[in-house]
Amino acid sequence: DNGQGVPQDFKEAVKWYRLAAEQGHALAQFNLGGVYDKGRGVAKDYKEAVRWYKLAAEQGDVDAQYNLGYMYAKGQGVLQDYIYAHMWFNLASMRGDTVFATKNRDFLAKLMTPQQIEKAQEMAKSCQARNFKGC
């Protein structure tokens, strides 16, 4: 992917990411989501990106949680849903991405009703209590 020690080859990177991702490696799942998100070595496919980001996010990957928030906020690969976007940004913020996730969560909150914000916060708490499974 980065061309470190070998020529840069996105298609070859996808092959190796997929092998590791299918074995449950969270960083590989995140990276595979990223290649589908950006269309590097594969055709751009937001739905496939969301699928891999979600697998990584459910293992606690903060970057995947942030990216899911972004995908829900923009409606890329999923229906646009500010409640889910807020939830994922909130989880990423609580787990260490305190700058971008917090900023995006707070921006979305300005577009949401108090009831929607409350629901998103409840979902984030529930998701965290389940160790991110089934979020």
Side-chain angles (χ1 to χ4, degrees):
D1 191 11
N2 297 319
Q4 293 176 307
V6 295
Q8 188 174 41
D9 184 338
F10 294 129
K11 288 184 180 184
E12 187 70 10
V14 169
K15 177 181 105 176
W16 291 106
Y17 285 150
R18 184 176 310 283
L19 282 170
E22 289 173 349
Q23 294 177 55
H25 191 273
L27 181 57
Q29 292 167 341
F30 169 75
N31 285 331
L32 195 54
V35 298
Y36 280 104
D37 192 358
K38 305 294 183 220
R40 291 189 337 233
V42 294
K44 187 180 279 197
D45 185 338
Y46 291 135
K47 285 185 181 184
E48 193 68 7
V50 166
R51 181 171 92 86
W52 290 108
Y53 285 151
K54 187 163 170 87
L55 288 170
E58 287 181 342
Q59 292 190 66
D61 187 288
V62 174
D63 294 323
Q65 292 170 347
Y66 172 84
N67 284 5
L68 276 175
Y70 185 86
M71 302 296 271
Y72 275 102
K74 295 292 185 180
Q76 294 178 329
V78 291
L79 291 176
Q80 186 178 46
D81 189 323
Y82 288 165
I83 294 171
Y84 273 99
H86 189 285
M87 179 197 77
W88 285 114
F89 284 142
N90 198 22
L91 288 167
S93 177
M94 290 187 294
R95 295 189 37 81
D97 185 346
T98 56
V99 177
F100 296 110
T102 302
K103 180 180 173 183
N104 284 310
R105 180 200 62 206
D106 293 348
F107 174 80
L108 278 181
K110 295 175 185 173
L111 305 174
M112 299 168 68
T113 66
Q115 294 82 8
Q116 289 173 315
I117 294 167
E118 183 178 344
K119 182 174 182 180
Q121 290 171 338
E122 288 172 8
M123 288 168 53
K125 286 178 190 173
S126 175
C127 181
Q128 191 170 27
R130 293 189 317 270
N131 202 26
F132 312 109
K133 301 297 182 218
C135 299

